[in-house]
């Protein structure tokens, strides 16, 4: 039987302008190229999990602007159940991104419809209750993540939190997290420890399991029970790491829900993320289950 995953999270349209040198405040420059790319950490993780082989239900909101139907379609086309995706009056969430020729970027996220997702209704809770895991991030109001974590805990569903964007974490939410998956910057921000091994020690005082992703250096996993392992990244030629973290979390959650042990699940996620970084884009770069299986064979 397929893994069943719920994602309670954000959808954003990424508005990406490519420019030689990013403008300073008050300055106007001519850009080279512009793209609209469906994103949002919630939607990206949902697409990653669906492509990695899970049945996925998405809980969130889009606006009634032209981006709303496109964001909905991206999730539906990946096979996600969008019956719990509301359309609300007003704009969809957007991320306004400037990428310069050095690959540096600056990003403004305007939450739009995401800001209105402040909790769950009974139908959302019912959808969650039938799942193996619920994936949470911090791009919705924290009350929504807390409500989802509470509902999941009550129903015996595993909770996986990506603490991004980095910032203060509600301790009450953290108490309800089974697996925390920060990148190294988020782990340092949460713990004050720059060394991932030390950061992991500190995280395991707060959650039973954690994985710190380390970009091209792989990841570090630990459990309060004492297990600890470092998995190197696959040696590939990376062209765009956007969405690598979301691909990793989506795939990791699918493997765990299917019953894989920590090492096998980390290998599956590492393989999925390595495939994603070899292609441009976020949701567009996420590998299918067949592609992941071929690499692992
Ligand atoms: P993003 O914000 O770009 O989605 P992230 O910062 O959340 O990413 P990373 O730690 O950069 O997450 O990457 C997640 C995983 O993706 C890593 O643990 C690794 O397995 C894989 N990965 C990232 N970069 C590379 C790379 N250059 N080569 C191979 N694998 C990579």
């Amino acid at each position: 039987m397929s893994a069943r995953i719920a994602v309670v999270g954000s959808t954003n349209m990424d508005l990406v302008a490519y420019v030689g040198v990013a403008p300073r405040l008050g300055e106007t420059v001519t850009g080279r190229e512009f793209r609209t790319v469906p994103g949002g950490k919630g939607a990206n993780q949902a697409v990653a999990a669906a492509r990695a082989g899970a049945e996925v239900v998405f809980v969130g909101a889009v606006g009634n602007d032209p981006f709303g139907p496109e964001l909905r379609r991206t999730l539906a086309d990946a096979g996600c159940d969008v019956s719990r995706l509301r359309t609300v009056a007003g704009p969809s969430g957007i991320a306004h991104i400037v990428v310069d020729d050095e690959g540096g970027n600056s990003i403004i996220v305007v939450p739009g419809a995401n800001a209105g997702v402040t909790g769950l209704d009974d139908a959302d809770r019912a959808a969650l209750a039938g799942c193996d895991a619920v994936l949470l991030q911090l791009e919705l109001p924290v009350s929504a993540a807390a409500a989802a974590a509470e509902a999941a805990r009550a129903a015996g569903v595993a909770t996986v939190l990506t603490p991004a964007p980095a910032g203060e974490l509600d301790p009450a939410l953290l108490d309800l997290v089974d697996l925390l998956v920060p990148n190294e910057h988020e782990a340092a921000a949460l713990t004050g420890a720059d060394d991932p091994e030390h950061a992991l020690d500190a995280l395991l005082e707060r959650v039973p399991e954690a994985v710190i992703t380390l970009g091209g250096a792989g990841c570090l996993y630990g459990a309060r029970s004492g297990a600890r392992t470092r998995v190197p990244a696959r040696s590939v030629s990376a062209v765009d790491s956007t969405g690598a973290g979301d691909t990793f979390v989506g795939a990791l959650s699918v493997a765990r829900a299917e019953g894989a042990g920590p090492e096998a699940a980390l290998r599956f996620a590492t393989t999925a993320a390595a495939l994603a970084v070899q292609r441009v884009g976020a949701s567009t770069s996420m590998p299918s289950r067949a592609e992941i299986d071929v690499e692992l064979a």
Side-chain angles (χ1 to χ4, degrees):
M1 221 172 80
S2 300
R4 293 200 294 177
I5 304 279
V7 180
V8 180
S10 60
T11 61
N12 288 326
M13 186 60 82
D14 292 348
L15 311 175
V16 194
Y18 297 86
V19 64
V21 179
R24 288 185 305 256
L25 205 60
E27 194 182 18
T28 301
V29 296
T30 301
R32 199 162 26 79
E33 192 190 340
F34 175 73
R35 287 194 205 149
T36 54
V37 189
K41 291 199 84 62
N44 285 346
Q45 292 188 1
V47 169
R51 291 187 61 78
E55 283 176 30
V56 176
V57 58
F58 188 84
V59 180
V62 295
N64 64 351
D65 58 357
F67 294 145
E70 199 179 335
L71 293 169
R72 178 180 294 276
R73 200 167 44 245
T74 300
L75 286 162
D77 285 353
C80 300
D81 173 352
V82 289
S83 62
R84 308 307 315 147
L85 178 64
R86 291 96 167 130
T87 297
V88 299
S92 298
I94 63 100
H96 180 284
I97 304 175
V98 176
V99 181
D100 70 15
D101 278 350
E102 308 281 293
N105 63 34
S106 59
I107 304 177
I108 302 170
V109 175
V110 185
N114 297 301
V117 185
T118 53
L120 302 186
D121 64 20
D122 287 345
D124 297 329
R125 284 195 189 84
L128 246 66
C131 290
D132 300 302
V134 57
L135 312 192
L136 306 168
Q137 318 78 31
L138 299 177
E139 288 188 345
L140 293 182
V142 70
S143 58
E150 270 164 31
R153 184 58 58 90
V157 176
T159 55
V160 181
L161 175 67
T162 304
E168 282 289 294
L169 246 187
D170 180 355
L173 171 60
L174 212 47
D175 283 346
L176 296 167
V177 170
D178 295 309
L179 172 66
L180 189 70
V181 192
N183 66 20
E184 53 189 321
H185 310 293
E186 292 147 5
L190 284 174
T191 61
D194 286 334
D195 172 30
E197 294 279 357
H198 293 149
L200 186 59
D201 288 336
L203 292 176
L204 291 175
E205 285 173 15
R206 296 158 77 178
V207 293
E209 286 183 287
V211 182
I212 301 177
T213 63
L214 306 167
C219 66
L220 181 62
Y221 164 85
R224 214 179 257 163
S225 62
R228 195 177 273 236
T229 179
R230 192 182 268 267
V231 176
R234 291 196 154 212
S235 175
V236 296
S237 135
V239 296
D240 181 359
S241 72
T242 317
D246 293 330
T247 304
F248 184 94
V249 171
L252 180 71
S253 304
V254 172
R256 286 166 61 96
E258 289 177 356
E263 298 262 358
L266 291 165
R267 238 186 356 264
F268 187 83
T270 297
T271 303
L275 285 165
V277 301
Q278 293 175 74
R279 304 172 190 157
V280 174
S283 55
T284 45
S285 72
M286 290 163 177
S288 67
R289 178 58 173 261
E291 290 173 309
I292 303 169
D293 284 343
V294 164
E295 288 297 316
L296 280 169

